[in-house]
Amino acid sequence: MPPVWLEGRAWLESAQLLRDPVYAGVGVPAGNGRPVMLIPGLLAGDVSLDLMRRWLKRAGFRPLRSGININVEASSVLVERIAERIRVRANGTKAIIIGQSRGGSLGFGLAQRYPELVERVITMGTPLADPLDIHPSTMAAVHGLRLVHTLRRGPRDIDDAFDLSVSQPPKVPTTSLYSRTDGIVSWRACLRPDIEAIEVGGSHVGMAVNRNAYREIARLLQDHG
């Protein structure tokens, strides 16, 4: 795994995106009001995906907030909350889910549990093959959160069913965007034989502002329009 300090590239990726034609809408399909649920990564909130939200809105999509201010709650709990938001705000239309890092796992798990709510899932830097093949500092945060959940809810892991569902073949079309220079998640952990994977390069933190990721997302939105 590359050194974590390379994650500082995220600001450069953001600057490159803002100058790129894709962010101006070139090659981006018309959204026609299609709902897109954006789910942030571990310890992040909806604000971390604001750049992508504005981009989608300009193209005519209807970006939906997950309601997450800081992504620390148990996965099973968050999936139910996000699913309810889709039911209420998508007006009976299947939503596209785009999730960064842990947000991708949540989106994939939601689609496994409620495929009738989801058109497709796009993950960014998400370790769908091995959720624990991550940087030691991130691993420490994960273990800390699990300890908190255990103390609050008792020894039974309420995420057992969620973890099992994520390990099963996808019930809706799913694409994993990954980078070999990801300093937080091992790129190999983003690869599964039953899921399409596309390398976009860049940092883990910067995946949501990566111009190559935006081009691939635009293509995927077109393919499933």
Side-chain angles (χ1 to χ4, degrees):
M1 192 177 297
V4 71
W5 58 263
L6 285 176
E7 289 298 304
R9 294 171 292 166
W11 71 269
L12 177 60
E13 292 174 81
S14 178
Q16 291 173 332
L17 171 65
L18 293 176
R19 297 194 300 269
D20 195 278
V22 72
Y23 195 69
V26 176
V28 182
N32 298 319
R34 291 159 64 200
V36 183
M37 172 59 73
L38 301 178
I39 309 178
L42 181 69
L43 301 178
D46 286 333
V47 67
S48 67
L49 296 172
D50 274 352
L51 205 62
M52 183 172 290
R53 183 173 294 105
R54 291 193 290 269
W55 175 65
L56 290 167
K57 188 173 182 179
R58 285 202 310 272
F61 292 89
R62 184 152 48 95
L64 307 177
R65 295 179 182 271
S66 69
I68 297 175
N69 292 319
I70 179 168
N71 192 338
V72 295
E73 184 60 273
S75 298
S76 295
V77 173
L78 289 174
V79 161
E80 293 303 323
R81 290 177 185 169
I82 298 169
E84 185 58 24
R85 279 182 166 253
I86 293 175
R87 292 188 188 99
V88 171
R89 304 187 182 194
N91 298 325
T93 303
K94 287 187 175 183
I96 300 160
I97 293 181
I98 302 176
Q100 182 174 18
S101 195
R102 189 194 186 205
S105 295
L106 293 171
F108 184 68
L110 190 157
Q112 295 291 83
R113 188 172 298 183
Y114 302 112
E116 70 278 7
L117 297 179
V118 182
E119 178 182 335
R120 68 164 297 119
V121 176
I122 302 170
T123 69
M124 301 182 292
T126 299
L128 291 175
D130 184 355
L132 298 183
D133 193 359
I134 54 182
H135 190 273
S137 62
T138 307
M139 178 73 80
V142 169
H143 285 314
L145 290 174
R146 287 186 173 180
L147 176 60
V148 170
H149 296 159
T150 299
L151 293 173
R152 289 176 58 190
R153 304 177 186 277
R156 185 175 69 88
D157 189 346
I158 65 171
D159 280 342
D160 282 348
F162 173 87
D163 294 339
L164 178 61
S165 72
V166 170
S167 70
Q168 301 301 306
K171 294 183 179 180
V172 305
T174 301
T175 301
S176 171
L177 305 183
Y178 73 96
S179 171
R180 291 175 188 260
T181 57
D182 188 320
I184 302 296
V185 170
S186 168
W187 65 271
R188 293 180 179 85
C190 301
L191 307 183
R192 280 177 40 170
D194 57 352
I195 291 176
E196 177 187 35
I198 300 172
E199 183 176 2
V200 296
S203 66
H204 180 81
V205 175
M207 194 78 73
V209 293
N210 181 296
R211 57 184 175 177
N212 293 324
Y214 276 57
R215 291 192 188 102
E216 293 300 336
I217 291 170
R219 181 185 64 79
L220 292 166
L221 294 175
Q222 181 71 61
D223 288 349
H224 294 268

